[in-house]
Amino acid sequence: MGKKRAKQTHKELKQLRAELKRVRRELADLRSDLRSDLRSGVDTTVIPLEKGTGPVEVETVCAPKSLLPKTECCGSKERCTRCPIMMLKQGTLPEGMTVKHRKLVGADGKKVSKKALRRVA
């Protein structure tokens, strides 16, 4: 590869890196906006989009997986967002659910299945 071609490839690489940084910033901004909307209770199931900007979200029958707690805590030191212990602490656990011995149980103390969890949420 000649020097001229190497310089051109280097320029293209710099442009791609700059574009990647811009996209990452936009994504971070959108994520923070979505989190604030979810906290404030704004309905985010249907987001109006300009023509040709990408896929449109469709309203679903059950709650998105990201909002449903796991049936059992994995026990890692950094808790994930779906961890039943964290959801209990934050108050986002569905009604009639609690956590005992790192496992998600109903208010009566019986195990909760994923199917029952979808019905509750």
Side-chain angles (χ1 to χ4, degrees):
M1 186 181 331
K3 287 183 180 181
K4 192 173 188 179
R5 179 71 180 141
K7 282 185 179 182
Q8 186 180 9
T9 306
H10 184 68
K11 275 186 178 180
E12 290 173 358
L13 186 60
K14 282 179 86 174
Q15 288 174 346
L16 286 173
R17 285 182 180 151
E19 179 71 16
L20 181 61
K21 277 185 179 180
R22 187 186 62 77
V23 169
R24 283 183 177 165
R25 277 194 305 262
E26 286 179 8
L27 182 61
D29 291 342
L30 289 172
R31 282 182 178 157
S32 65
D33 290 345
L34 183 60
R35 281 190 205 113
S36 64
D37 286 348
L38 287 172
R39 285 187 193 123
S40 65
V42 175
D43 182 24
T44 58
T45 53
V46 180
I47 301 172
L49 296 173
E50 296 173 13
K51 187 176 181 180
T53 58
V56 178
E57 288 190 32
V58 179
E59 195 169 327
T60 57
V61 175
C62 64
K65 187 176 181 181
S66 62
L67 299 179
L68 293 175
K70 293 180 178 179
T71 55
E72 185 177 345
C73 171
C74 58
S76 66
K77 189 154 186 141
E78 296 101 18
R79 305 276 188 213
C80 64
T81 54
R82 292 181 51 219
C83 178
I85 295 172
M86 285 301 294
M87 291 183 83
L88 180 67
K89 185 178 178 182
Q90 295 168 349
T92 56
L93 205 60
E95 284 185 36
M97 303 281 169
T98 187
V99 180
K100 290 189 179 176
H101 304 286
R102 289 187 19 221
K103 291 183 175 38
L104 186 68
V105 294
D108 56 355
K110 293 184 180 179
K111 273 189 174 180
V112 176
S113 66
K114 288 184 180 181
K115 198 173 193 180
L117 191 59
R118 284 194 195 107
R119 274 190 244 127
V120 171

